[in-house]
Amino acid sequence: FFLVRVWTLFSYAQYEHLGYLPGYQEPAQDLYTIPELPKDTPRIQLRLAGEKRKHNEGRVEVFYEGEWGTVCDDDFTIHAAQVVCRELGYFEAVSWSPSSKYGKGEGRIWFDNVRCTGNERSLAQCESNGIGVSDCKHTEDVGVVCSDKRIPGFKFMLLCKFNVIRVESLNIQVEDVRIRPILSTYRKRIPVTEGYVEVKDGGKWKQICDDEWTQMNSRVICGMFGFPGDKRYNTRVYKMFARRRKQTYWDYSINCTGNEAHLSSCKLGHTLAIKANSTCEQGSPVVVSCVPGRAFAPAPMAGYKKQPLVRLRGGAVVGEGRVEVLKNGEWGTICDDSWNLVAATVVCRELGFGSAKEALSGGQLGQGMGPVHMNEVKCSGFEKSVTECPFSMDKDSEGCSHEEDAGVRCNVPAMGFQQRLRLSGGRNPFEGRVEVLKERNGSLVWGTVCGEGWGIMEAMVVCRQLGLGFASHAFQETWNWPGAVNADSVVMSGVRCAGTEMSLSHCLHHGEYLSCPKGGGRFAAGVSCSETAPDLVLNPQVVEQTTYLEDRPMFMLQCAYEENCLGSTSSSTPANSYRRLLRFSSQIHNNGQSDFRPKASRESWVWHDCHRHYHSMEVFTHYDLLSNNGTKVAEGHKASFCLEDSECDEGIEKRYECANFGEQGITLGCWDTYRHDIDCQWVDITDVKPGDYIFQIVINPNYEVAETDYTNNIVKCRCRYDGHRIWMYNCHIGGSFSAETEDTFPGLINNQVTHR
């Protein structure tokens, strides 16, 4: 008869045999424990989906018997929302919404008349009409809003169905998979790229017989562990090794097509004939040899690094982000229609990662700018680039917007970085004093990082290394987080990061000779992390369309003079003479994953009596006029005296307003417009000679507030000034064009953030 088999795969144990760092103490057990469900409870998987939503809200969708479906809003309550949110790893439910607020779903309506107490461990345990029994329509699909806060230590259990296979009376459950290095040259190598493929079955690690093993199987295994491909290895050495030791073989063979994202998606082969006195007679244990991507190679990879055609933006960790492709010299996004794991895996492998863990839709990792280059992408799984996959060129009125930008989360190699760093003394796992594991006098000790010069870029790297998302704050003093008493000594100082490093040890820092005058303890560095962050993007078309010149008398510029918004010669300018101002409007969108808030709390905002308003950030934007060789010829700056929601996308409510000492910020999906007639919304070009220039605007220039992506914070324009009139043209977000085009714009080439 036919049965459907389920593999429940727990965390990979690839490195448990290494004891990676001698003397390293295992951290305390996670607060979260995987719930055990009764055997008769249907195994389901949940996700949040839909339109115009943040990561922690959406239409409730249920995966059951190989098909995604929805939940009807009949009898649904906050107690049911609580069960859903906790099953997804969120701390609690905030609210729920009936009547398909997040759009109508597709497929079956798996649950109707759901009645929960709030204490169930799975939605499948709640009372209902029965799974799949419903008289609802998709106009009644229910949605939930969960808290931003995650359950500490939550592990997402991925339940994947096998294809239907012929196996009699067997309950197959694989607990884990690993690559175990056998040869001494690979035992000390990080990441582990070669060794036996072993599965954990019944609490014991077992090898797989290579009788029916194929290269496609190896491709899938390597992809699971974060490697884009596999290569040949020395079979003779492994055969010799196998003859010396008795192996314990798993009872089954595997049959993969090669484009599966995970071993659990492969077909399970027939039961191998394992007799009492013979184990895998005609073969030996399966060995794989994986090829790491450029970023994870043990030694630098040789070869010319050409302009990539695909990149990821807006992700919190390495190997995740919004997918952007380069077409006709301009970067654009991919629409999520038909976006799936096969296409996502092509992207991941192309970028040097393994297979995809998730194919994300609905602009979950922030909305891009520019064109939507591809839609209805259909990959076979073996393309070298997603740009080779067939796709639709449909441009009709029902086409895609950036609300449908596709993203990926890729499998990346386990590098052991998390074991070298910890947060200590915080109120929750997302904050604390930064403590690193360093070698001192021949032994490994925990110590602190000097807080002097510590900033948001360094904090970003810490949060990424620990897998905690983005940095929300960087602290140079941590007196309220005592940390471990035996870890007060400073073991790292002079840390300077670009913000893109995978590990704090990859940042510039002092070597053996440390320099930290204030010492560690209360002056040690600290961070607080958040799973989400905003992303500010300036609209270049608005800048281009609103530029003009104004000659303004000095006596009308006293407030601007006090705010240092005029050129250096303004101090000697008579009150009845004029300053020539290059005026323009700027429209700053928040396309990220959460609201943009000023760094300073409202209690510390500074009242400016001249303008009768509060300053919440000392510097919010820089305006620079550059010569064609990149030399600055004029500059301006604007304090963010009023961050508020001027307008919002349809369906999103304004939250921030400056009137009456209101809260300041920019809501996700909204934008703040600084009109051309506002004080300091200019560059003083009184002393600039006629000629061709480059105009550059930088938002959040000092990185005071964390963002998902700083590389899109710059707008550049061509500018021609004849002494009387000015022309602004070719305005674009830095990094939105190919490298060849960007090379013609000096300054921050390719919009890569230079070190401060």
Side-chain angles (χ1 to χ4, degrees):
F1 56 93
F2 290 85
L3 296 175
V4 175
R5 297 302 174 203
V6 180
W7 281 15
T8 306
L9 291 170
F10 294 78
S11 57
Y12 302 150
Q14 187 173 351
Y15 295 100
E16 73 176 18
H17 63 284
L18 290 176
Y20 177 63
L21 291 170
Y24 172 70
Q25 297 295 317
E26 285 293 323
Q29 290 294 315
D30 290 323
L31 302 178
Y32 177 79
T33 56
I34 299 165
E36 293 184 7
L37 301 177
K39 291 182 179 180
D40 59 350
T41 302
R43 265 40 178 187
I44 62 171
Q45 184 178 318
L46 301 182
R47 71 180 180 188
L48 300 181
E51 306 164 357
K52 294 184 177 67
R53 66 187 190 86
K54 299 180 183 179
H55 72 289
N56 58 324
E57 62 178 321
R59 180 176 62 248
V60 179
E61 294 196 347
V62 179
F63 186 76
Y64 181 67
E65 290 191 340
E67 182 182 354
W68 284 102
T70 62
V71 177
C72 183
D73 59 15
D74 292 349
D75 291 338
F76 202 87
T77 65
I78 192 65
H79 300 302
Q82 181 82 356
V83 174
V84 168
C85 290
R86 289 192 66 82
E87 192 168 356
L88 287 166
Y90 296 101
F91 195 74
E92 61 185 353
V94 176
S95 64
W96 65 279
S97 304
S99 306
S100 62
K101 175 186 175 181
Y102 297 98
K104 293 188 289 186
E106 297 177 348
R108 302 278 297 276
I109 296 177
W110 284 122
F111 290 102
D112 186 9
N113 296 110
V114 177
R115 293 175 293 276
C116 303
T117 65
N119 297 320
E120 293 86 355
R121 295 183 175 183
S122 169
L123 190 66
Q125 289 184 296
C126 298
E127 291 183 15
S128 69
N129 292 351
I131 193 161
V133 180
S134 172
D135 59 358
C136 294
K137 297 180 180 179
H138 283 297
T139 53
E140 300 172 82
D141 286 343
V142 77
V144 298
V145 178
C146 304
S147 63
D148 266 331
K149 187 178 180 182
R150 300 281 292 178
I151 298 173
F154 178 82
K155 290 183 173 62
F156 185 73
M157 301 303 296
L158 183 63
L159 301 178
C160 297
K161 295 283 185 184
F162 269 117
N163 292 338
V164 176
I165 51 175
R166 184 179 294 276
V167 181
E168 295 186 13
S169 304
L170 293 171
N171 182 18
I172 305 162
Q173 185 179 56
V174 175
E175 301 159 29
D176 209 343
V177 183
R178 72 178 179 186
I179 300 174
R180 180 165 69 93
I182 300 300
L183 306 183
S184 58
T185 52
Y186 289 97
R187 288 180 185 173
K188 298 178 182 179
R189 186 173 294 180
I190 299 293
V192 172
T193 57
E194 184 174 306
Y196 283 172
V197 177
E198 297 185 336
V199 296
K200 197 172 189 180
D201 185 18
K204 296 181 180 179
W205 287 104
K206 298 178 181 180
Q207 294 78 46
I208 301 176
C209 180
D210 68 358
D211 267 355
E212 299 182 2
W213 191 261
T214 66
Q215 190 267 334
M216 292 296 104
N217 296 354
S218 296
R219 172 182 165 88
V220 173
I221 289 289
C222 289
M224 282 173 55
F225 287 99
F227 305 111
D230 63 290
K231 61 182 178 68
R232 294 181 179 274
Y233 58 92
N234 188 338
T235 57
R236 195 160 56 91
V237 174
Y238 283 100
K239 286 184 182 297
M240 289 173 52
F241 192 92
R243 285 196 293 266
R244 295 177 187 171
R245 296 190 181 183
K246 183 180 179 181
Q247 312 299 329
T248 304
Y249 287 94
W250 191 45
D251 294 340
Y252 309 98
S253 60
I254 302 293
N255 182 17
C256 304
T257 64
N259 65 1
E260 295 91 349
H262 199 278
L263 192 65
S264 59
S265 299
C266 299
K267 289 182 180 179
L268 196 62
H270 68 267
T271 309
L272 298 177
I274 308 295
K275 300 178 182 178
N277 298 321
S278 65
T279 54
C280 192
E281 280 185 330
Q282 305 302 317
S284 55
V286 165
V287 175
V288 295
S289 184
C290 303
V291 180
R294 182 184 292 268
F296 303 97
M301 298 181 73
Y304 173 67
K305 191 176 180 181
K306 62 182 180 179
Q307 167 80 56
L309 298 177
V310 178
R311 69 185 184 186
L312 300 182
R313 287 289 184 268
V317 297
V318 176
E320 78 169 25
R322 179 181 61 252
V323 181
E324 297 187 352
V325 294
L326 184 65
K327 189 177 180 184
N328 300 325
E330 185 175 9
W331 287 98
T333 61
I334 296 178
C335 186
D336 62 11
D337 292 348
S338 300
W339 187 247
N340 58 21
L341 274 177
V342 176
T345 291
V346 172
V347 169
C348 291
R349 291 186 188 274
E350 176 181 0
L351 294 172
F353 307 116
S355 52
K357 290 189 290 189
E358 288 184 74
L360 302 171
S361 59
Q364 288 184 54
L365 296 180
Q367 296 180 22
M369 298 287 281
V372 178
H373 280 322
M374 302 174 74
N375 185 21
E376 298 284 355
V377 178
K378 294 180 173 63
C379 301
S380 69
F382 293 94
E383 294 87 353
K384 290 186 177 179
S385 170
V386 73
T387 58
E388 298 175 6
C389 299
F391 65 95
S392 170
M393 294 291 291
D394 187 13
K395 297 284 187 180
D396 63 21
S397 59
E398 296 296 318
C400 292
S401 69
H402 286 297
E403 292 179 353
E404 300 169 86
D405 284 344
V408 297
R409 285 196 176 100
C410 307
N411 286 312
V412 297
M415 303 296 290
F417 292 144
Q418 289 185 336
Q419 296 176 337
R420 304 182 183 188
L421 192 71
R422 70 187 183 191
L423 300 183
S424 183
R427 296 163 296 180
N428 59 62
F430 286 83
E431 68 178 21
R433 185 175 77 177
V434 179
E435 296 178 358
V436 295
L437 194 60
K438 282 285 188 179
E439 185 175 341
R440 286 288 178 267
N441 301 321
S443 61
L444 288 165
V445 297
W446 286 101
T448 58
V449 178
C450 184
E452 188 174 345
W454 184 260
I456 202 73
M457 288 302 192
E458 290 72 38
M460 278 284 199
V461 175
V462 168
C463 294
R464 177 182 300 113
Q465 185 173 345
L466 291 172
L468 297 178
F470 304 96
S472 53
H473 293 93
F475 301 94
Q476 295 186 354
E477 295 185 15
T478 50
W479 53 270
N480 56 327
W481 293 332
V485 177
N486 59 352
D488 276 349
S489 299
V490 174
V491 295
M492 201 173 186
S493 64
V495 181
R496 292 291 181 275
C497 303
T500 57
E501 296 87 349
M502 288 188 284
S503 167
L504 198 65
S505 61
H506 295 169
C507 300
L508 293 172
H509 60 277
H510 295 153
E512 185 178 350
Y513 300 101
L514 304 175
S515 175
C516 191
K518 293 182 179 179
R522 62 171 290 182
F523 296 105
V527 301
S528 64
C529 305
S530 172
E531 288 192 321
T532 59
D535 183 23
L536 297 187
V537 184
L538 190 71
N539 188 324
Q541 284 72 39
V542 171
V543 175
E544 187 170 316
Q545 293 165 5
T546 58
T547 304
Y548 66 97
L549 296 180
E550 180 193 11
D551 288 339
R552 194 169 181 82
M554 190 65 195
F555 68 83
M556 297 178 66
L557 295 170
Q558 286 307 305
C559 279
Y561 177 74
E562 290 180 21
E563 291 189 10
N564 196 30
C565 295
L566 300 176
S568 57
T569 59
S570 62
S571 58
S572 57
T573 302
N576 59 350
S577 61
Y578 291 79
R579 303 298 296 183
R580 176 156 292 180
L581 308 177
L582 167 60
R583 282 189 174 273
F584 54 93
S585 296
S586 61
Q587 192 180 88
I588 301 169
H589 294 247
N590 180 3
N591 287 353
Q593 303 166 30
S594 61
D595 297 350
F596 182 92
R597 301 297 309 278
K599 177 183 178 182
S601 61
R602 61 188 299 165
E603 293 79 15
S604 58
W605 294 352
V606 179
W607 173 257
H608 197 281
D609 200 47
C610 185
H611 285 148
R612 313 296 294 176
H613 57 238
Y614 283 91
H615 285 203
S616 58
M617 289 177 69
E618 185 177 344
V619 175
F620 184 50
T621 51
H622 281 169
Y623 308 139
D624 296 318
L625 196 65
L626 310 173
S627 68
N628 284 328
N629 66 7
T631 305
K632 189 183 297 185
V633 297
E635 66 179 8
H637 82 273
K638 181 149 194 66
S640 73
F641 66 82
C642 176
L643 279 175
E644 68 177 6
D645 298 325
S646 302
E647 298 290 339
C648 297
D649 289 333
E650 185 180 351
I652 297 177
E653 295 182 3
K654 298 179 183 179
R655 296 183 59 188
Y656 303 106
E657 187 176 9
C658 299
N660 302 318
F661 192 34
E663 289 288 350
Q664 294 191 26
I666 306 176
T667 302
L668 174 61
C670 300
W671 56 91
D672 189 5
T673 301
Y674 290 91
R675 285 173 47 88
H676 53 81
D677 53 2
I678 294 177
D679 248 3
C680 296
Q681 189 61 32
W682 64 59
V683 174
D684 184 350
I685 62 168
T686 305
D687 305 313
V688 174
K689 297 177 181 178
D692 290 323
Y693 298 96
I694 289 168
F695 182 50
Q696 179 175 276
I697 302 176
V698 186
I699 314 169
N700 192 16
N702 299 333
Y703 319 126
E704 289 188 10
V705 178
E707 297 186 47
T708 63
D709 186 3
Y710 288 108
T711 63
N712 58 13
N713 280 26
I714 299 176
V715 161
K716 303 177 185 179
C717 304
R718 292 282 184 191
C719 180
R720 174 164 290 180
Y721 174 51
D722 68 357
H724 306 283
R725 295 166 297 176
I726 197 156
W727 292 266
M728 200 77 75
Y729 59 100
N730 285 358
C731 290
H732 68 283
I733 297 171
S736 62
F737 291 157
S738 65
E740 291 78 8
T741 304
E742 287 291 342
D743 283 345
T744 65
F745 286 81
L748 295 179
I749 304 286
N750 290 334
N751 201 23
Q752 296 302 308
V753 178
T754 56
H755 195 271
R756 58 194 187 285

